[in-house]
Amino acid sequence: MSLQKIPDILPMTPGDHADFAAMMRRTPGVVLRTADGYAATQRYLERNPGLSFVARPADGEGIVGCAMAGHDGRRGYLQHVMVDPDYRHLGLARTMVDHCLVALLEAGIEKVHLDTLATNHDAHRFWQHLGWDDRRNEIVKFSRVLVEDSNA
Ligand SMILES: CC(C)(COP(=O)(O)OP(=O)(O)OC[C@H]1O[C@@H](n2cnc3c(N)ncnc32)[C@H](O)[C@@H]1OP(=O)(O)O)[C@@H](O)C(=O)NCCC(=O)NCCS
């Protein structure tokens, strides 16, 4: 990669899905779920327009970063924040997250949550560095899968 070339940060579209899925597969620390398929991603982007972003080198192929955001009208949620190793520590994740947070705030959302794997200590350090509160020990998260798919 050329160190001078900072990738463009662009709104994510359904057309980014193949590159996004490839990036998910090659990035340790994130898990590709059935819910990350094309149809569900398209639905997510349609329900949450202008809230998700990708980093795409102007002269390269594929995407090298992603940050997805959505909301339920009350709270915002960040997910799939990732940057390829060759493009880390250039400020891409911070910038994409900032884009997501500005767009959420403009949509009237005042609090944003995100999940990380408990074992992803690098990510914990990253979010702490960005000022996110990880002391939500009063919350226990319950989930229920509604289909016969352990990777839903
Ligand atoms: C975590 C991750 C997204 C960071 O991407 P990045 O583009 O390198 O991050 P940035 O360059 O925007 O860094 C922003 C700031 O965080 C700091 N930072 C980056 N990675 C860090 C880490 N692992 N631990 C602590 N601080 C970190 C940077 O030094 C920078 O600090 P500064 O702005 O004060 O100088 C990237 O390492 C990644 O994709 N990891 C694997 C996927 C993952 O775990 N994603 C999170 C899932 S919830």
Side-chain angles (χ1 to χ4, degrees):
M1 108 191 212
S2 157
L3 284 176
Q4 292 76 31
K5 285 273 182 191
I6 303 289
D8 296 325
I9 294 179
L10 306 164
M12 183 174 179
T13 71
D16 291 317
H17 180 264
D19 291 338
F20 158 75
M23 191 177 180
M24 291 276 294
R25 285 194 194 90
R26 67 178 181 258
T27 305
V30 298
V31 182
L32 185 71
R33 301 286 186 190
T34 308
D36 299 308
Y38 180 82
T41 302
Q42 182 181 36
R43 190 168 62 228
Y44 184 86
L45 294 173
E46 280 174 3
R47 286 170 60 101
N48 297 285
L51 299 182
S52 298
F53 297 88
V54 295
R56 184 179 286 284
D59 52 359
E61 292 199 355
I63 64 174
V64 297
C66 178
M68 293 177 71
H71 70 82
D72 56 18
R74 182 172 174 274
R75 298 304 191 204
Y77 303 91
L78 266 189
Q79 44 212 319
H80 301 333
V81 176
M82 55 192 165
V83 170
D84 262 352
D86 281 353
Y87 291 85
R88 288 185 188 167
H89 295 284
L90 296 174
L92 283 179
R94 183 194 276 281
T95 305
M96 289 188 294
V97 168
D98 282 351
H99 281 35
C100 292
L101 299 186
V102 167
L104 284 167
L105 193 56
E106 283 173 352
I109 301 301
E110 297 181 340
K111 190 180 232 182
V112 182
H113 301 299
L114 63 87
D115 295 328
T116 70
L117 293 174
T119 52
N120 193 349
H121 301 293
D122 249 3
H124 302 169
R125 284 188 283 272
F126 170 74
W127 293 114
Q128 285 161 350
H129 185 77
L130 262 54
W132 289 65
D133 181 5
D134 67 343
R135 293 158 298 174
R136 302 303 306 273
N137 299 327
E138 79 280 17
I139 292 173
V140 176
K141 183 164 177 164
F142 285 82
S143 302
R144 187 158 175 181
V145 180
L146 305 182
V147 292
E148 294 293 322
D149 179 357
S150 58
N151 192 42

